[in-house]
């Protein structure tokens, strides 16, 4: 009884502290949000000029982060909404809606009157009701300089059959937040966690809300038991029984003035629904202790439901926080969690069929050569990772990883095998050189017909952020190889140094608006004023290849030296460096 009493007292104390912090953050954020409300209202007035639904074929979406990507519940389509883009000086916010047609491998832009305001770090969930509905809650709007934030607490639904947006105004919902998680579960939308941030303060949440999709009413849940600590960016997965699984996430706390300490959570919880179907549904928290191989600690990972009663985790970043800097280790791996067995395990790519057949034949030949004696087989040779790096105009090095499977056993192949390889080459790239998504965090993922689609994300090199817009897919049943549906060359990524930002302080409204047409108009005006000035300073398309390679010769020498070792002669290192550079620029990723 004594221990339980102390636990209860400690829990109540934490609730009081959280309530005080929430009032403090709310007070300080009120002035910021009032300033931004006027800006948001101006953008909404522009959106109100749209009077009809227009769907048009278009190029792929521009690079962006923290948007939502969902699979259409009835069609072979993916739905992308919102997001943000930062170019080193400005933050651009979006509220555009894109449709990816899976069978055609093509994009369409869908302009619908009265959409939700521009936002990022929101949550979206689809339900199959009335031809399909896309529900969106919360998220944030940032000032162009990234120093002020407005956190939404609004709820919207996109009726996919009629292509109409509708804002649902119901009292009693969660406070404004971003980085939360939301899932559709048994005719309810369940929301957990998230954070609210102002210029000086922040607060993380661990509350749970449910929105009833039949009565359109909010309710705040009060689960029994000890639940997860406050956090954002966690994994939230519904089970077939109507329960909710929470894993991981990130939070930070202030340890002294102007010093914050981040925490990567690796714990796992089950939010169990008790008395399902009764008037008063009760919930309870319990801690899970899964078996198997858990994901390494990370934040910024993406999650999705997978076939065979599993969910998956992709990518993320583990930040090493130093006193004055943060170095990130980015991932591109997949982990599966088996809900029924309560077990984690890493995904293993099997490789193309012809490659697997060669490995089997090689083992059989070795067994026969051993005269039937028991043969101790060496472990299978792992994939060879080739690292290609791009040196931008400012000297920043960006890394791209390419994975090549182990060497084939024999070059003699039958005609049928060659035909199979040609087919596989058409489907997923040249045989023996499958390209996987480069390591990244904050990728957007969706699963349709057992196929995982990974769109965009970001990685960092020093102080530079590279925002991606590529699209990859992998069959989760076969797990043979990644397919590249849309490539992106990071060399084309615009990046403006902070020292240049003073020149563009007057462009705040344009930057926050994030409109593509506005960007095009501004670039046209700049080209009229100064002929020859390029829109993306990191890109030099007209520059001679020899000059570009000469500027980066020291980089290639260093890379060659690291491959060949310190004992290699300088002449050989120079020769290899030139060969590597020539190969890279003639055959870029």
């Amino acid at each position: 009884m004594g221990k339980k009493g102390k636990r209860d007292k400690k829990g109540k104390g934490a609730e009081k502290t959280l309530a005080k912090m929430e009032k403090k953050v709310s007070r300080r954020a009120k002035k910021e949000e009032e300033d931004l409300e006027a800006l948001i209202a101006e953008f909404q007035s522009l959106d109100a000029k749209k009077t009809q639904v227009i769907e048009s074929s278009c190029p792929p979406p521009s690079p962006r982060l923290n948007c939502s990507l969902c699979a259409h519940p009835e069609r072979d389509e993916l739905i992308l909404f919102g997001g943000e883009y930062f170019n080193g000086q400005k933050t651009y916010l979006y509220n555009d809606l894109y449709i990816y047609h899976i069978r055609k491998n093509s994009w369409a832009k869908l302009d619908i009157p009265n959409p939700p305001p521009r936002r990022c770090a929101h949550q979206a969930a689809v339900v199959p009701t009335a031809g399909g509905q896309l529900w969106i809650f919360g998220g944030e709007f940032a000032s162009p300089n990234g120093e002020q934030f407005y956190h939404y607490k609004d709820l919207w639904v996109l009726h996919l059959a009629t292509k109409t947006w509708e804002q649902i105004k119901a009292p009693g919902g969660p406070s404004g937040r971003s980085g939360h998680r939301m899932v559709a579960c048994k005719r309810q939308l369940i929301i957990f966690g998230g954070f609210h941030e102002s210029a000086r303060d922040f607060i993380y949440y661990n509350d749970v809300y449910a929105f009833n999709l039949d009565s359109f009413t909010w309710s705040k849940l009060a689960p029994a038991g000890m639940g997860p600590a406050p956090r954002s960016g966690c994994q939230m997965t519904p089970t077939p029984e109507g329960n909710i699984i929470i894993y991981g996430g990130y939070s930070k706390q202030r340890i002294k003035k102007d010093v914050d300490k981040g925490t990567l959570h690796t714990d796992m919880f089950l939010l169990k629904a008790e008395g399902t179907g009764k008037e008063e549904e009760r919930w309870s928290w319990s801690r899970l202790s899964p078996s198997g191989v858990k994901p390494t600690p990370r934040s910024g990972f993406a999650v999705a439901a997978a076939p065979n009663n599993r969910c998956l985790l992709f990518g993320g970043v583990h930040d090493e926080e130093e006193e004055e800097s943060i170095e990130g280790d980015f991932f591109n791996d997949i982990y599966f969690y088996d809900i029924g067995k309560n077990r984690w395990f890493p995904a293993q790519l099997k490789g193309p069929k012809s490659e697997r057949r060669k490995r089997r034949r090689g083992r059989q030949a070795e067994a026969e050569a051993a005269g039937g004696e028991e043969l101790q087989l060496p472990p299978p040779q792992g994939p060879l990772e080739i690292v290609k790096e791009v040196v931008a105009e400012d000297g920043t090095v960006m890394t791209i990883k390419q994975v090549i499977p182990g060497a084939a056993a024999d070059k003699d192949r039958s005609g049928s095998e060659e035909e199979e390889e040609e087919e596989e080459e058409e489907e997923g790239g040249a045989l023996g050189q499958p390209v996987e998504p480069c390591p990244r965090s904050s990728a957007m993922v969706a699963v349709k017909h057992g196929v995982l689609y990974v769109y965009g994300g970001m990685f960092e090199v020093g102080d530079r952020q590279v925002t991606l817009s590529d699209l990859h897919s992998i069959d989760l049943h076969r797990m043979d190889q990644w397919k590249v549906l849309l490539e992106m060359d990071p060399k084309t990524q615009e990046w403006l140094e902070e020292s240049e930002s003073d020149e563009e302080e007057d462009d705040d409204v344009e930057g926050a608006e994030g409109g593509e047409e506005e960007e095009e108009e501004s670039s046209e005006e700049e080209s009229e004023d100064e002929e020859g000035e390029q829109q993306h300073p990191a890109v030099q398309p007209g520059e001679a290849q020899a000059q570009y390679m000469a500027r980066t010769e020291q980089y290639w020498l260093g890379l060659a030296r690291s491959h060949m070792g310190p004992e290699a002669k300088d002449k050989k290192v120079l020769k290899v460096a030139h060969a590597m550079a020539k190969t890279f620029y003639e055959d870029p990723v």
Side-chain angles (χ1 to χ4, degrees), residues 285-573:
W285 285 112
S286 61
R287 186 183 288 267
L288 292 175
S289 298
S291 61
V293 181
K294 291 174 63 175
T296 55
R298 64 188 71 190
S299 63
F301 52 77
V303 298
N308 303 321
N309 197 26
R310 297 170 178 172
C311 59
L312 66 84
L313 178 153
F314 170 81
V317 59
H318 182 272
D319 289 324
E320 294 289 345
E321 298 187 18
E322 303 294 338
E323 290 187 1
E324 297 182 358
S325 64
I326 297 179
E327 292 295 331
D329 186 11
F330 291 82
F331 304 99
N332 62 350
D333 48 0
I334 297 176
Y335 280 84
F336 287 106
Y337 173 70
D338 191 308
I339 297 174
K341 297 179 180 178
N342 187 27
R343 176 176 172 267
W344 282 104
F345 61 96
Q348 298 292 336
L349 266 64
K350 300 174 184 176
K353 284 183 179 179
S354 56
E355 198 68 27
R356 296 200 302 269
R357 183 163 52 248
K358 288 179 182 179
R359 289 199 294 266
R360 286 197 302 269
R361 289 177 178 173
R363 288 195 295 267
Q364 291 172 0
E366 289 178 6
E368 292 172 1
E373 297 179 5
E374 187 174 346
L375 181 65
Q376 184 68 32
L377 292 174
Q381 184 178 352
L384 173 63
E385 189 176 82
I386 302 297
V387 179
K388 289 187 177 182
E389 296 181 327
V390 178
V391 182
E393 177 68 18
D394 59 1
T396 304
V397 179
M398 295 176 290
T399 303
I400 303 171
K401 293 186 178 180
Q402 186 176 20
V403 176
I404 300 177
D410 192 350
K411 294 183 179 180
D412 294 329
R413 299 167 293 178
S414 65
S416 60
E417 284 179 317
E418 291 179 353
E419 289 174 4
E420 288 180 9
E421 291 182 5
E422 288 175 2
E423 291 175 2
E424 289 171 353
E425 190 171 319
E426 292 174 0
E427 291 179 1
L431 181 66
Q433 295 185 348
V435 179
E436 61 182 358
C438 69
R440 64 191 70 195
S441 72
S442 304
M444 280 59 68
V445 299
V447 174
K448 184 69 177 180
H449 299 316
V451 177
L452 170 67
Y453 295 87
V454 176
Y455 171 80
M458 61 84 72
F459 63 88
E460 296 170 344
V461 182
D463 294 332
R464 179 171 184 160
Q465 174 179 301
V466 179
T467 305
L468 301 166
S469 60
D470 50 356
L471 181 64
H472 294 73
S473 71
I474 186 170
D475 190 317
L476 296 175
H477 294 290
R478 299 167 61 183
M479 287 302 293
D480 50 358
Q481 61 182 340
W482 285 96
K483 293 183 180 180
V484 182
L485 303 175
L486 174 64
E487 293 183 305
M488 175 194 173
D489 185 356
K491 287 184 290 186
T492 64
Q493 183 91 114
E494 177 189 49
W495 186 258
L496 306 177
E497 296 299 331
E498 291 182 7
S499 59
E500 304 167 9
S501 61
D502 294 339
E503 302 174 4
E504 303 189 20
E505 287 181 354
D506 296 333
D507 299 333
D508 281 1
V509 172
E510 179 190 346
E513 187 171 349
E516 295 175 1
E517 294 178 3
E518 289 84 347
E519 291 179 37
E520 292 173 2
E521 291 173 3
S522 65
S523 66
E524 289 174 5
E525 291 172 2
E526 290 172 5
S527 62
E528 290 174 2
D529 295 339
E530 298 181 28
E531 290 187 7
E533 181 176 336
Q534 295 186 357
Q535 185 178 359
H536 300 288
V539 184
Q540 303 291 337
E543 188 174 17
Q545 179 176 309
Q547 293 178 354
Y548 188 84
M549 290 172 61
R551 277 204 318 276
T552 59
E553 184 178 33
Q554 291 302 317
Y555 159 71
W556 291 109
L557 283 171
L559 189 62
R561 175 67 69 183
S562 66
H563 277 280
M564 301 176 69
E567 70 282 353
K569 294 182 179 180
D570 290 342
K571 286 186 177 180
K572 286 189 176 181
V573 172

Side-chain angles (χ1 to χ4, degrees), residues 172-214:
S175 58
R177 64 189 65 194
S178 57
H180 52 289
R181 291 296 178 259
M182 179 175 78
V183 295
C185 183
K186 300 287 186 182
R187 297 297 301 160
Q188 293 185 109
L189 299 176
I190 308 294
I191 292 176
F192 170 79
F195 71 95
H196 187 290
E197 185 175 19
S198 66
R200 291 186 293 171
D201 294 301
F202 55 84
I203 182 171
Y204 284 78
Y205 300 104
N206 64 345
D207 48 5
V208 187
Y209 284 82
F211 180 78
N212 191 297
L213 291 171
D214 295 317

